[in-house]
Amino acid sequence: MSLAPSVLLDLDGTLVDSKAGIVASCSAALRVLGHDPGKAPDIAIGPPLEDILRTLLQAYDDDRVDEAVVAYRQHYGETGLLGSETYPGIGDALETMRRAGLGIYLATSKREVFARRILENQGLAIHFDGIHGSVPGGKLDLKPELLAHILSEHGIAASHSLMVGDRSHDIVGARAVRMRGLGVLWGYGSRDELEAAGADQLVEQPADLASAVLSMLGV
């Protein structure tokens, strides 16, 4: 077990603004199932894909979640993931954390193959020691399981690591594996949501991310 400090980072709403691509792929999935996307409720970015699509389909009294997931991933893999844009200042924050000697890992509910392509497209992949996301079969769809897997896979001590994310799922997942959680306020979650989830600290701007992480990890 390594006692070297490590940071685990969410992707959507934390490193990149991916809403446009996700919304486009959700709309494409609804059309494949014969629905008018214009009648869909607002899409909440952050929960596992199955949960997002299940909520959308409820508005049409449709329970074909598995079919919607297949349609979504086909569209997202072809064009949707290209709609992601790095938040200004994130690249510099990652470089600062890297120079400070932190282990840097991605922890996203998004399919790992898509997450890797997004990081590569945005020129961010070089900063990461490990890129982790959901995998076929559903084994790592939920944040607690994903975080536990990353800690185990890389021999990371929970007491010497930190989870950074924009939604309650990130903070709740961190607490489940006894990690601290840092909530970011530029993503898709609110201050109230992150505080209610038990975030140890909040950061308002990407420019302040590295200093907040380093301070919390005692680096």
Side-chain angles (χ1 to χ4, degrees), residues 49-70:
L49 176 60
E50 288 78 1
D51 294 345
I52 294 174
L53 293 173
R54 184 176 293 108
T55 299
L56 290 177
L57 290 172
Q58 285 174 353
Y60 304 92
D61 196 26
D62 190 338
D63 61 1
R64 294 177 290 168
V65 176
D66 290 345
E67 290 182 42
V69 167
V70 171

Side-chain angles (χ1 to χ4, degrees), residues 48-50 73 107-115 132-142 146:
L49 176 60
E50 288 78 1
R73 286 187 170 137
T108 176
S109 294
K110 186 186 296 297
R111 271 288 169 89
E112 184 177 306
V113 62
F114 295 152
H132 298 273
S134 63
V135 295
K139 180 181 177 184
L140 301 177
D141 283 355
L142 301 179
L146 177 65

Side-chain angles (χ1 to χ4, degrees), residues 166-179:
D166 67 311
R167 298 299 309 271
S168 61
H169 308 81
D170 302 306
I171 306 303
V172 171
R175 294 177 69 86
V177 296
R178 300 187 177 185
M179 291 174 62

Side-chain angles (χ1 to χ4, degrees), residues 108-153:
T108 176
S109 294
K110 186 186 296 297
R111 271 288 169 89
E112 184 177 306
V113 62
F114 295 152
R116 187 177 298 276
R117 286 174 60 191
I118 289 171
L119 291 180
E120 290 171 350
N121 288 345
Q122 297 295 313
L124 301 177
I126 58 173
H127 300 295
F128 287 82
D129 296 293
I131 297 172
H132 298 273
S134 63
V135 295
K139 180 181 177 184
L140 301 177
D141 283 355
L142 301 179
K143 270 285 163 66
E145 286 76 9
L146 177 65
L147 298 183
H149 169 75
I150 295 171
L151 295 179
S152 175
E153 181 80 7

Side-chain angles (χ1 to χ4, degrees), residues 51-102:
D51 294 345
I52 294 174
L53 293 173
R54 184 176 293 108
T55 299
L56 290 177
L57 290 172
Q58 285 174 353
Y60 304 92
D61 196 26
D62 190 338
D63 61 1
R64 294 177 290 168
V65 176
D66 290 345
E67 290 182 42
V69 167
V70 171
Y72 173 96
R73 286 187 170 137
Q74 180 173 346
H75 184 275
Y76 196 78
E78 292 172 353
T79 61
L81 63 81
L82 299 176
S84 299
E85 294 187 6
T86 303
Y87 289 109
I90 288 297
D92 290 340
L94 291 171
E95 287 182 9
T96 298
M97 291 187 283
R98 166 63 68 197
R99 287 198 302 270
L102 299 189

